[in-house]
Amino acid sequence: GFYEAEVEALISLKHLNVPQIICAFEEDGCKYVAEEWLEGTLLKRIDSSENIVNLAVTLAEFVSAITSQASSPRTHGDIKPSNLIVCDGKIYFIDFECSVLLEESCQKETKETVRITGKYFTAPEVFYGKQSIQSDIYSIGAVVAWLLGGVDEQGINLSCIETDSRIKAIIKKCTAYKEKDRYSSADDLLEDLSETINEKVYDED
């Protein structure tokens, strides 16, 4: 269930961007998870495109770390603004109820799913019970699009983004409908993001 997935993920993830679990217990039929307290705020829109690219790097580095960790590599499963907390300038990922181990994520696609996820930030296949590294990559692209004003009531709308074509191209590849058309790994995404940062530095010089 969601409770078990949250506890398992928090125990297995030893990452600087994840609040540490203190304990998990059941009382009077209710299940609780106590985590490290964070004095922060939910992610809000950022004005600077440079800061947005840096945030995208943080998201991609996190996905790279959790999907390649030696023990129990996994996906997050529900990356969206309301699951990202900013505390002292640092991003923390919360809510691992939808997290799955990679070895379990290659399950057969079905027409039913009970996962509760972000409507505009979730890859299409997740709604049908399938989840992969590319699902988290889709969510990264959607969050970046949202930060740039590219998410409206219909979903991701790249025409609303007023920025350079490279960022748009990265978002478009992240949020491709088919998994095979997205980045094959978070490291590949990081490579493109790094090129974007380097180009900006070179242009400024």
Side-chain angles (χ1 to χ4, degrees):
F2 293 141
Y3 171 82
E4 288 76 13
E6 175 92 8
V7 173
E8 180 187 353
L10 289 173
I11 290 175
S12 67
L13 289 174
K14 302 300 181 184
H15 194 278
L16 293 175
N17 296 92
V18 177
Q20 296 304 298
I21 185 171
I22 298 173
C23 65
F25 60 95
E26 185 172 350
E27 185 176 293
D28 297 329
C30 295
K31 297 177 179 179
Y32 301 90
V33 179
E35 301 175 32
E36 172 188 3
W37 178 259
L38 299 175
E39 286 287 351
T41 58
L42 292 179
L43 180 67
K44 298 178 181 178
R45 284 193 167 90
I46 304 171
D47 294 331
S48 167
S49 60
E50 180 182 352
N51 288 338
I52 290 174
V53 174
N54 289 333
L55 172 67
V57 168
T58 298
L59 301 183
E61 286 177 341
F62 174 76
V63 170
S64 175
I66 67 171
T67 56
S68 61
Q69 59 181 359
S71 61
S72 61
R74 62 173 58 246
T75 64
H76 180 283
D78 194 17
I79 297 174
K80 58 187 178 184
S82 59
N83 282 341
L84 298 169
I85 292 180
V86 182
C87 182
D88 294 330
K90 183 178 177 181
I91 298 292
Y92 286 88
F93 293 75
I94 62 171
D95 194 351
F96 287 83
E97 290 183 351
C98 295
S99 178
V100 295
L101 294 169
L102 285 180
E103 62 185 22
E104 297 174 357
S105 65
C106 299
Q107 56 187 295
K108 183 179 179 181
E109 187 172 348
T110 66
K111 291 298 181 183
E112 296 181 0
T113 179
V114 293
R115 295 191 183 282
I116 302 171
T117 53
K119 181 178 179 181
Y120 301 127
F121 303 97
T122 304
E125 66 273 5
V126 176
F127 291 107
Y128 298 102
K130 187 178 179 183
Q131 194 169 309
S132 67
I133 294 173
Q134 282 68 41
S135 304
D136 276 355
I137 288 174
Y138 181 101
S139 297
I140 292 174
V143 169
V144 175
W146 175 80
L147 289 168
L148 290 166
V151 174
D152 57 24
E153 63 276 2
Q154 301 300 318
I156 298 171
N157 185 354
L158 295 182
S159 65
C160 295
I161 299 176
E162 297 180 3
T163 187
D164 62 83
S165 58
R166 178 173 282 277
I167 297 299
K168 280 189 178 181
I170 290 174
I171 295 172
K172 185 176 182 179
K173 187 168 183 177
C174 283
T175 58
Y177 186 83
K178 295 181 179 179
E179 293 170 85
K180 67 180 182 63
D181 294 330
R182 299 174 205 153
Y183 289 96
S184 60
S185 69
D187 288 340
D188 288 343
L189 170 56
L190 279 168
E191 186 175 337
D192 268 9
L193 289 170
S194 296
E195 289 181 8
T196 300
I197 293 172
N198 290 336
E199 279 188 3
K200 289 183 179 297
V201 172
Y202 181 79
D203 290 342
E204 288 175 1
D205 292 342

